[in-house]
Amino acid sequence: MTHRLGSFGRVNPPAPRVMPAHEAIADLKAGRAPTTTILAYGNGRSYGDSCQNHDGAVIDMRAFNRIHAFDATSGLLTAEAGVLLDEVIAHAAPHGFFPAVVPGTRFVTLGGAIANDVHGKNHHRRGTFGCHVEWLDLLRSDGKVYRCSRNENANLFAATIGGMGLTGIILCATVRLMRVSSLDVAEKVTPLAGLDQYFDLAEAADAANEYAVAWIDQLAAGRKAGRGLLLTGNHAPQPARARPSALRKSVPFQPPVNVLNRPFLTLFNAAYRWSRSRQADVHVTGWEKFFFPLDGVRDWNRLYGPKGLFQHQSVIPLEAARRTIPELLQAAREAGQGSFLTVLKRFGAVRSPGLLSFPRPGYTLTLDFPNRGARTLALLDRLDAITVAAGGGVNPYKDARMSAATFGASFPDWWALEALRDPLFMSSFWQRTAMRLKPDGRTTLRAAE
């Protein structure tokens, strides 16, 4: 039984073979290594195939989900890898703590957040999730558990953060949470007439605020091209008045077609920009709405139809961003593709301890596209080419189809992770990218055959 352990983009089929965590861990510790390659699977929120291993088996870590300890003075929390960030927040919030870095969903596991070295709206101040990991316990195929930190097994520590699960099974970890005055956020919304205005404001917005992100109307063309909203925020000075938790809506079934079509997106973008522009003054908003707006609709990825969706996230160097970001948006418009959620952020200079971390100084653009087959793939290849030509990179844990050459150009030091990869661990992503490259970044003859 696979229990539908797929990826969030739903482009690829779910895992063909699944192993329960406790069974797989017991076998490895006892020296009973499986006869196939394996990969730890968290909660499947990666959009592509970095969480899949279609030629082997995945290990379902979701039952490995106990919080072992929390120090309400220091903010240090120790938990098993299958604990969700949602559970971390619920455990720490009454004591005035919040994760220093959160991605766009709270339904990722602790192990997944480390393995992908996720980032949030405050990279300019806090860096990536890996910056706040104190230590982790890593089970390798030799049956040994390695305590990894900056000072102990430091090479494995660096390879595991952002290593997409390829160094072994993260059993548990200690992370340092951030003390906050309130989980809720004092938010300011600044309407943007175009991308130039955003770039003019972005650095100052980062300097003045804990959180900063821009929403862009990707479909707007001509004089309206690049219009959007700059959303900045800081934790509110005191908790908002208690309010009942909002009920999570859901998409109860799979629509037979993509619901998020161009006419719908045109209307949605206009309505969203109008409604949020009316909130230009600083106002307190709930933390769920500010950090995790899409979590309010369970299974929202079903709206893209039975063929699923592709997400493309690029990072563009600072000096190339003003010319390259508009080029990426224009390429999508010329291809007739509409992105439901288009997000633009500025990465800072805080370095990750991980070997293969995606964020680097520059601007990152995220686009979502329904899978329309060959023409969508052609657009994504075009976006890759624009990104690489600008000296940027494409996010591997958001990807389901990039070429080996694009991966090699995005991460020229990928071989350092390959050198520390556990030979028993493999993913579909790594198989189709890194395993087709030589250490100099060139595609192997075997891959071309």
Side-chain angles (χ1 to χ4, degrees):
M1 180 177 178
T2 65
H3 200 62
R4 304 298 295 176
L5 298 192
S7 66
F8 199 70
R10 301 173 69 248
V11 171
N12 301 311
R17 182 180 174 189
V18 178
M19 301 173 66
H22 291 89
E23 176 185 313
I25 291 168
D27 283 350
L28 287 175
K29 287 183 175 180
R32 299 188 298 268
T35 58
T36 185
T37 59
I38 55 177
L39 182 75
Y41 178 98
N43 201 35
R45 289 303 175 118
S46 295
Y47 282 76
D49 53 2
S50 64
C51 63
Q52 294 292 294
N53 181 24
H54 286 105
D55 292 333
V58 298
I59 300 168
D60 186 355
M61 297 295 294
R62 293 175 299 175
F64 211 65
N65 60 355
R66 293 176 298 170
I67 294 177
H68 290 306
F70 177 66
D71 187 327
T73 301
S74 66
L76 289 175
L77 179 139
T78 302
E80 293 175 338
V83 168
L84 295 175
L85 287 191
D86 183 52
E87 296 165 325
V88 170
I89 294 169
H91 192 88
H95 305 281
F97 284 91
F98 190 74
V101 174
V102 294
T105 174
R106 63 188 188 272
F107 299 117
V108 297
T109 61
L110 178 62
I114 295 171
N116 291 311
D117 198 18
V118 297
H119 58 272
K121 298 177 176 68
N122 59 347
H123 183 271
H124 56 283
R125 290 199 177 182
R126 311 292 171 180
T128 62
F129 195 88
C131 294
H132 307 277
V133 177
E134 296 290 311
W135 58 261
L136 58 90
D137 281 347
L138 184 72
L139 175 62
R140 305 262 287 177
S141 62
D142 59 8
K144 298 178 181 179
V145 176
Y146 295 82
R147 175 62 58 89
C148 303
S149 69
R150 289 166 179 81
N151 301 314
E152 188 176 2
N153 295 308
N155 58 341
L156 284 177
F157 183 72
T160 302
I161 294 174
M164 294 180 285
L166 296 168
T167 60
I169 300 175
I170 300 172
L171 298 178
C172 65
T174 290
V175 296
R176 186 178 296 276
L177 306 184
M178 177 174 64
R179 185 176 289 280
V180 295
S181 52
S182 167
L183 266 65
D184 292 332
V185 175
E187 178 190 55
K188 181 179 180 180
V189 180
T190 302
L192 301 170
L195 289 175
D196 282 341
Q197 185 183 4
Y198 166 73
F199 288 121
D200 289 342
L201 296 175
E203 186 173 359
D206 282 358
N209 297 282
E210 177 72 31
Y211 304 104
V213 63
W215 168 84
I216 303 297
D217 183 352
Q218 175 261 329
L219 292 176
R223 290 182 298 174
K224 296 180 179 179
R227 70 178 183 180
L229 303 167
L230 174 61
L231 312 175
T232 55
N234 299 281
H235 286 278
Q238 55 186 328
R241 183 176 301 174
R243 61 189 185 283
S245 298
L247 294 175
R248 289 188 70 201
K249 302 177 179 67
S250 67
V251 180
F253 62 90
Q254 172 63 70
V257 296
N258 166 40
V259 175
L260 304 177
N261 51 43
R262 191 180 183 93
F264 170 84
L265 292 179
T266 300
L267 292 173
F268 172 83
N269 286 353
Y272 181 76
R273 186 173 186 274
W274 177 80
S275 63
R276 295 307 309 272
S277 296
R278 299 178 66 195
Q279 299 176 310
D281 293 335
V282 176
H283 58 280
V284 175
T285 188
W287 61 272
E288 301 100 325
K289 181 179 179 182
F290 183 83
F291 294 108
F292 315 114
L294 291 178
D295 281 351
V297 181
R298 187 183 292 110
D299 297 324
W300 63 265
N301 53 340
R302 291 178 175 176
L303 294 173
Y304 283 86
K307 295 182 179 180
L309 74 146
F310 289 102
Q311 185 169 100
H312 189 277
Q313 183 173 26
S314 57
V315 57
I316 306 299
L318 293 168
E319 63 276 10
R322 281 185 182 258
R323 71 173 185 274
T324 305
I325 298 298
E327 188 178 356
L328 291 167
L329 294 172
Q330 178 64 21
R333 287 194 297 271
E334 289 177 351
Q337 300 272 349
S339 170
F340 171 54
L341 189 64
T342 303
V343 175
L344 182 58
K345 293 184 292 190
R346 182 178 180 273
F347 284 149
V350 182
R351 294 196 62 177
S352 166
L355 283 179
L356 212 69
S357 186
F358 168 69
R360 62 204 74 171
Y363 289 86
T364 180
L365 177 70
T366 304
L367 299 156
D368 292 338
F369 300 110
N371 177 17
R372 293 192 173 98
R375 62 175 176 151
T376 305
L377 293 172
L379 167 61
L380 295 169
D381 287 344
R382 174 64 180 148
L383 299 179
D384 286 353
I386 294 170
T387 299
V388 170
V394 180
N395 192 341
Y397 62 84
K398 299 289 185 73
D399 174 73
R401 31 58 54 199
M402 81 165 79
S403 69
T406 295
F407 174 66
S410 299
F411 295 90
D413 295 331
W414 63 268
W415 53 268
L417 175 58
E418 173 61 19
L420 290 165
R421 178 178 63 86
D422 189 299
L424 189 61
F425 286 73
M426 181 56 67
S427 69
S428 297
F429 173 85
W430 202 252
Q431 187 68 52
R432 69 176 169 84
T433 56
M435 299 307 290
R436 297 187 177 188
L437 293 173
K438 293 179 178 178
D440 63 3
R442 293 180 299 177
T443 304
T444 65
L445 292 176
R446 176 177 58 84
E449 293 174 350

